[in-house]
């Protein structure tokens, strides 16, 4: 349901193309994490960068804050769309069940 694809792509691209060519582990350490698993999870779109880390990520990877913000907002918009679509589908299914039950009475 939650979408992290845009931030994942941005972080991976910026990390790989950075002049220092950080590994996932190196970047994680620079951000204060103990191993590379955190960045691996971000790049696989399993989680997002915590808000308190955004400034540091922007500085370390030379990402324009506006670009970082745009990626996160796209992901939030997609997440909202996913939840709204799921809600509509559930409402439609509930309505069909109620209509079927009413027809049987």
């Amino acid at each position: 349901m939650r979408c992290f694809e845009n931030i994942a792509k941005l972080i991976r691209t910026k990390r790989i193309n950075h002049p220092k060519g950080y590994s996932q582990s190196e970047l994680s350490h620079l951000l204060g994490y103990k191993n590379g698993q955190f960045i691996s999870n971000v790049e696989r779109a399993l989680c997002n960068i915590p808000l308190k880390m955004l400034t540091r990520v922007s500085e370390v990877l030379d990402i324009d804050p506006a670009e970082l913000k745009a990626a996160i907002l796209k992901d939030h918009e997609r997440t909202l769309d996913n939840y709204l679509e799921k809600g509509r589908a559930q409402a439609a299914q509930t309505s069909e069940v109620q209509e079927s039950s009413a027809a049987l009475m």
Side-chain angles (χ1 to χ4, degrees), residues 37-90:
Q37 191 61 47
F38 171 70
I39 293 300
S40 173
N41 289 344
V42 169
E43 291 182 359
R44 289 184 295 138
L46 299 177
C47 65
N48 202 351
I49 301 285
L51 294 177
K52 66 182 180 180
M53 298 301 294
L54 290 180
T55 300
R56 183 74 179 136
V57 168
S58 176
E59 292 168 353
V60 170
L61 293 177
D62 300 321
I63 301 174
D64 182 314
E67 188 176 9
L68 199 55
K69 179 181 174 181
I72 292 169
L73 288 174
K74 284 180 189 175
D75 286 340
H76 280 299
E77 183 175 15
R78 179 90 180 268
T79 296
L80 290 169
D81 289 344
N82 289 343
Y83 277 98
L84 290 170
E85 287 173 18
K86 181 180 179 185
R88 278 189 223 116
Q90 287 175 340

Side-chain angles (χ1 to χ4, degrees), residues 6-22:
N6 292 289
I7 194 69
K9 183 178 178 183
L10 177 64
I11 297 299
R12 179 170 172 75
T13 301
K14 294 292 186 172
R15 178 183 63 79
I16 290 171
N17 294 328
H18 193 275
K20 294 185 180 178
Y22 296 120

